[in-house]
Amino acid sequence: MGLIGAAIAVAGAAIGASLGNGKVISKTIESVTRQPELQSRLQMMMFIGVGLIEAVPIMAVVIAFILVFK
């Protein structure tokens, strides 16, 4: 039962991260089309945001491993 719970947790985190990344990237592209002179600043903030979003599934995998191998 612990394996199934860990798999569901990792899958949910991956789906949530992919939706969040898609939204961040689409809004960045939208912002660059409106204000092209801010492209470098927006791109930098986008990479920071994507990095923070990607931290969530990594933590979910670590927690899943802890639950599975406990």
Side-chain angles (χ1 to χ4, degrees):
M1 195 67 162
L3 291 174
I4 294 172
I8 291 172
V10 172
I15 291 170
S18 65
L19 292 174
N21 283 337
K23 188 159 185 121
V24 167
I25 293 170
S26 70
K27 292 296 182 178
T28 301
I29 292 171
E30 198 176 293
S31 299
V32 168
T33 57
R34 291 183 184 178
Q35 302 219 344
E37 66 273 6
L38 295 177
Q39 179 181 1
S40 62
R41 292 184 70 200
L42 291 169
Q43 194 174 19
M44 180 187 63
M45 287 193 293
M46 178 194 71
F47 286 138
I48 292 171
V50 167
L52 291 172
I53 291 169
E54 284 299 320
V56 173
I58 292 170
M59 288 188 288
V61 169
V62 170
I63 292 170
F65 278 139
I66 290 171
L67 290 175
V68 168
F69 295 115
K70 185 176 178 184

